[in-house]
């Protein structure tokens, strides 16, 4: 990637340096989603302030940069090609999370950070209903949620649950579906889940990719 970050940094009167621009561009490509709360926090601030420059720099890679200033996150979405091969189980989980998020928005379930929070019991019921499969055990579920976190679409949320959200026991397991899921998983994701329910064949989603073709 060739871009004159030093020249751009020089116009910030020492507020930012070239290495911070480079780090932000690299993280956008590798992580795909950068939230305001992610560390170091300067990453989102840079991308939000210099969106045009990051868009120009990453366009040579065929990557489209978008910033959601309401929910405070930035996305880097491949404009033409599919990437991030995913296992069948991870793909199904991501598709179910996307459907739950879409239903949670009009139902008023969004937190101030634009997340939809649900517990493992609700997720298990929905997963069974949508896929006709059993939800993976806790160890596999933990690993899957870690993968969802790397994709920027969900995270384990035990530490952010407050008493005014839900009355839970010490063993409760909560999942926060993050707002960038609508950017990472396009509308075709929901059609894939419908096809799965109609066909019920494993090869329907085997070897699929989490990032869709540009629509």
């Amino acid at each position: 990637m060739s871009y004159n970050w030093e020249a751009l940094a020089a116009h910030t009167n020492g507020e930012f340096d070239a290495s911070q621009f480079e780090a932000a561009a690299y993280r956008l490509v590798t992580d795909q989603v950068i939230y305001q709360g992610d560390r170091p926090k300067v990453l989102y601030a840079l991308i939000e302030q210099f969106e045009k420059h990051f868009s120009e720099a990453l366009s040579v890679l065929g990557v489209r940069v978008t910033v959601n200033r309401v929910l405070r996150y930035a996305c880097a979405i491949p404009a033409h090609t599919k990437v991030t091969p995913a296992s069948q189980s991870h793909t199904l989980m991501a598709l179910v999370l996307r459907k739950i998020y879409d239903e949670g928005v009009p139902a008023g379930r969004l937190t101030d950070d634009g997340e939809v929070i649900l517990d493992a019991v609700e997720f298990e019921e929905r997963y069974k209903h949508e896929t006709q499969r059993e939800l993976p055990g806790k160890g596999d579920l933990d690993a899957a949620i870690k993968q969802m976190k790397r994709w920027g679409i969900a995270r384990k949320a035990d530490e952010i649950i407050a008493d005014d959200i839900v009355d839970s026991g010490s063993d409760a397991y909560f999942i926060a579906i993050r707002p960038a899921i609508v950017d990472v998983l396009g509308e075709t994701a929901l059609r894939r889940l419908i096809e799965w329910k109609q066909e019920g064949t494993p090869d329907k989603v085997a070897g699929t990719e989490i990032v869709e073709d540009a629509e």
Side-chain angles (χ1 to χ4, degrees):
M1 184 191 315
S2 177
Y3 200 81
N4 195 342
W5 297 119
E6 291 186 1
L8 185 58
H11 286 84
T12 68
N13 296 319
E15 183 179 1
F16 303 110
D17 59 44
S19 65
Q20 291 174 310
F21 281 98
E22 291 170 351
Y26 179 78
R27 283 281 298 274
L28 257 182
V29 172
T30 57
D31 291 7
Q32 187 167 273
V33 182
I34 301 293
Y35 289 91
Q36 184 186 46
D38 291 346
R39 294 182 180 276
K41 292 189 175 182
V42 68
L43 296 181
Y44 172 80
L46 268 174
I47 299 164
E48 191 275 334
Q49 187 174 341
F50 298 97
E51 178 184 1
K52 176 183 177 181
H53 300 279
F54 281 98
S55 295
E56 291 174 351
L58 299 190
S59 66
V60 299
L61 301 178
V63 173
R64 174 172 49 86
V65 175
T66 61
V67 177
N68 187 317
R69 290 174 172 80
V70 176
L71 298 177
R72 302 177 297 280
Y73 67 85
C75 277
I77 305 297
H80 305 294
T81 59
K82 291 184 177 181
V83 297
T84 315
S87 68
Q88 182 185 112
S89 61
H90 286 175
T91 299
L92 284 174
M93 190 171 293
L95 298 181
V96 174
L97 289 170
R98 169 67 202 266
K99 184 171 184 181
I100 295 172
Y101 189 88
D102 279 13
E103 294 174 353
V105 173
R109 295 184 60 176
L110 290 185
T111 68
D112 291 342
D113 293 323
E115 296 178 329
V116 169
I117 297 175
L118 67 159
D119 62 27
V121 174
E122 179 186 355
F123 184 54
E124 181 176 14
E125 293 175 352
R126 291 300 305 272
Y127 186 86
K128 287 181 179 179
H129 175 73
E130 300 295 345
T131 69
Q132 293 82 51
R133 290 184 164 204
E134 294 294 323
L135 187 68
K138 189 176 185 302
D140 289 336
L141 179 60
D142 280 340
I145 295 301
K146 286 181 180 178
Q147 183 62 59
M148 304 295 132
K149 183 177 181 180
R150 284 193 289 271
W151 290 332
I153 64 177
R155 61 172 172 160
K156 190 175 179 181
D158 300 47
E159 68 276 10
I160 66 171
I161 298 299
D163 291 338
D164 60 344
I165 296 178
V166 64
D167 182 15
S168 61
S170 59
D171 294 329
Y173 189 119
F174 295 93
I175 299 168
I177 310 175
R178 312 195 78 180
I181 194 169
V182 300
D183 299 279
V184 176
L185 285 171
E187 290 298 323
T188 57
L190 301 181
R191 293 196 292 270
R192 286 185 182 185
L193 190 58
I194 293 172
E195 289 173 357
W196 167 267
K197 292 181 69 174
Q198 291 175 341
E199 302 294 335
T201 53
D203 60 346
K204 265 298 192 183
V205 293
T208 191
E209 289 81 15
I210 286 300
V211 176
E212 306 285 333
D213 279 321
E215 297 181 279

